[in-house]
Amino acid sequence: MEQNFGLNDIVEMKKPHPCGTNRWRIIRLGMDIRIKCEGCGHSVMIPRREFTKKVKRILEKAED
């Protein structure tokens, strides 16, 4: 299943962040994707292939 992700979309990952929040904002797209925790503000950069495996669903699409 191909999902289309956009900048500033809010996604839910399969595993929650240690701070307890499971909402992440996409802040960079490319070969690597940087996501930022909506709870504590921690950001993580992961390869796109790994991101597509770990994402559960898109919670909010960003307004264009």
Side-chain angles (χ1 to χ4, degrees):
M1 181 172 114
E2 182 64 32
Q3 291 184 330
N4 294 322
F5 307 108
L7 203 58
N8 290 320
D9 286 354
I10 306 290
V11 296
E12 180 181 2
M13 303 301 275
K14 290 182 181 174
K15 291 186 179 179
H17 192 246
C19 74
T21 306
N22 202 9
R23 292 174 56 92
W24 296 83
R25 180 179 303 273
I26 299 173
I27 57 174
R28 181 183 184 277
L29 289 172
M31 286 298 292
D32 297 323
I33 295 179
R34 183 176 293 271
I35 55 177
K36 184 175 183 180
C37 179
E38 290 286 290
C40 65
H42 182 78
S43 67
V44 179
M45 185 176 280
I46 57 176
R48 182 180 286 267
R49 180 178 292 212
E50 187 177 330
F51 176 78
T52 56
K53 288 180 186 176
K54 291 184 175 183
V55 73
K56 193 172 188 179
R57 62 188 169 126
I58 300 173
L59 297 174
E60 297 175 23
K61 293 293 281 180
E63 296 295 323
D64 292 335

